[in-house]
């Protein structure tokens, strides 16, 4: 990734189901992105995986405002200034 990379977008469109192990791995990816100063977003998240992320506490860490319906919406948000409303509340404490 280049020095100007400001975000990581996970396309969950093909993941109709996830388990707690997958939720934990997504949380690890989110943490690694944040350590590099990048935002982490998910696109096309189905309702069942969304429920798993919610129950596991991972959704709170990601921020519900970082879940997008489609890739264009996520790219636009991540390309925008990080002080924009799309990122309000996206900064979370890890741990």
């Amino acid at each position: 990734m280049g020095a100007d990379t400001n975000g990581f977008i996970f396309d969950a469109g093909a993941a109709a189901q996830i388990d707690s192990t997958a939720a934990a791995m997504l949380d690890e990816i989110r943490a690694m992105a944040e350590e590099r100063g990048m935002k982490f977003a998910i696109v096309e998240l189905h309702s069942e995986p969304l429920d798993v992320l919610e129950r596991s506490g991972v959704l709170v860490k990601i921020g519900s405002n970082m879940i997008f319906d489609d890739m264009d919406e996520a790219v636009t948000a991540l390309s925008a200034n990080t002080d924009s409303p799309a990122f309000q509340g996206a900064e979370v404490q890890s741990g």
Side-chain angles (χ1 to χ4, degrees), residues 53-91:
L53 293 179
E54 209 166 23
R55 286 193 311 270
S56 67
V58 175
L59 184 61
V60 169
K61 294 177 183 179
I62 294 169
S64 60
N65 59 329
M66 297 302 287
I67 307 297
F68 299 94
D69 291 332
D70 61 57
M71 186 64 74
D72 290 338
E73 188 180 327
V75 169
T76 298
L78 268 64
S79 297
N81 183 332
T82 56
D83 292 330
S84 74
F87 292 107
Q88 297 306 311
E91 296 286 332

Side-chain angles (χ1 to χ4, degrees), residues 3 6 10 16-17 21-22 27-28 34-35 39-41 43 56-57 70 82-83 91:
N6 67 348
F10 175 70
Q17 297 178 328
T21 302
D27 191 35
E28 287 179 27
E34 284 186 2
E35 287 172 8
K39 297 294 180 181
F40 178 75
V43 299
S56 67
D70 61 57
T82 56
D83 292 330
E91 296 286 332

